[in-house]
């Protein structure tokens, strides 16, 4: 059940990223601006990995909680907390360790798109994909261990 729900998200993520790339390409052509579409494509790969990691975490929370609404709010809360930790942590060095727990720390797409001379950190992509796989695996295990009441 968990894997089929997660698989249902994949075409949506793909369609979203293709639409974003198409909008960037058409917008750049319309205003006559040159855009490195390969670099933007790399950015979309990172975005896809980020979305899959977030989806894996949401699936885990959903499998662990009995109420879907509470799981959705918990997912949003965790995502907001990771966003705040990453942004506050960039200014406060004493919580630098906590930034490594945030998915936003590894999905720095704007950094390498806005500055073509900056290198793309491919290991961060691996971290995002590994987190997605681990969280999805934990979601499957949590779902299998649940005691589901049928009325």
């Amino acid at each position: 059940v968990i894997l089929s729900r997660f698989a249902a998200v994949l075409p949506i993520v793909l369609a979203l990223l293709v639409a974003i790339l198409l909008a960037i390409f058409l917008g750049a052509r319309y205003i006559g601006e040159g855009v490195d579409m390969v670099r933007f494509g790399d950015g979309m790969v990172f975005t896809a990995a980020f979305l899959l990691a977030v989806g894996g975490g949401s699936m885990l929370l959903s499998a662990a909680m009995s109420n879907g609404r509470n799981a959705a709010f918990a997912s949003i809360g965790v995502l907001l907390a990771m966003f705040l930790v990453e942004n506050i942590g960039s200014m406060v060095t004493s919580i630098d360790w906590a930034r490594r727990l945030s998915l936003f720390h590894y999905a720095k797409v704007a950094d390498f798109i806005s500055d073509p001379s900056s290198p793309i950190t491919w290991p961060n992509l691996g971290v995002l994909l590994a987190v997605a796989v681990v969280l999805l695996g934990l979601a499957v295990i949590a779902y299998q261990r649940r005691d589901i009441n049928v009325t």
Side-chain angles (χ1 to χ4, degrees):
V1 173
I2 295 289
L3 294 177
S4 67
R5 298 283 177 144
F6 191 78
V9 171
L10 296 177
I12 296 168
V13 168
L14 183 63
L16 177 68
L17 298 178
V18 168
I20 291 171
L21 270 176
L22 185 63
I24 290 168
F25 176 74
L26 293 175
R29 299 278 302 219
Y30 180 74
I31 64 172
E33 187 68 32
V35 175
D36 185 2
M37 290 306 291
V38 173
R39 198 103 168 147
F40 272 99
D42 294 340
M44 292 302 105
V45 169
F46 270 79
T47 303
F50 175 78
L51 292 174
L52 294 177
V54 168
S58 297
M59 288 290 180
L60 177 59
L61 286 172
S62 179
M65 299 176 124
S66 60
N67 186 335
R69 179 179 289 195
N70 290 346
F73 283 126
S75 296
I76 291 170
V78 168
L79 200 59
L80 180 62
M82 284 192 290
F83 178 77
L84 290 174
V85 164
E86 173 58 25
N87 286 310
I88 293 171
S90 65
M91 296 178 277
V92 180
T93 58
S94 62
I95 62 167
D96 214 24
W97 61 271
R99 292 177 67 199
R100 289 178 179 78
L101 300 175
S102 172
L103 293 175
F104 289 96
H105 181 71
Y106 301 100
K108 297 276 189 167
V109 175
D111 290 350
F112 66 82
I113 287 179
S114 63
D115 183 13
S117 65
S118 69
I120 298 173
T121 51
W122 293 109
N124 286 356
L125 179 66
V127 169
L128 289 170
L129 291 174
V131 166
V133 169
V134 167
L135 290 176
L136 187 60
L138 290 173
V140 169
I141 292 169
Y143 185 78
Q144 288 175 344
R145 293 181 180 257
R146 283 192 66 157
D147 183 24
I148 300 174
N149 294 326
V150 179
T151 57

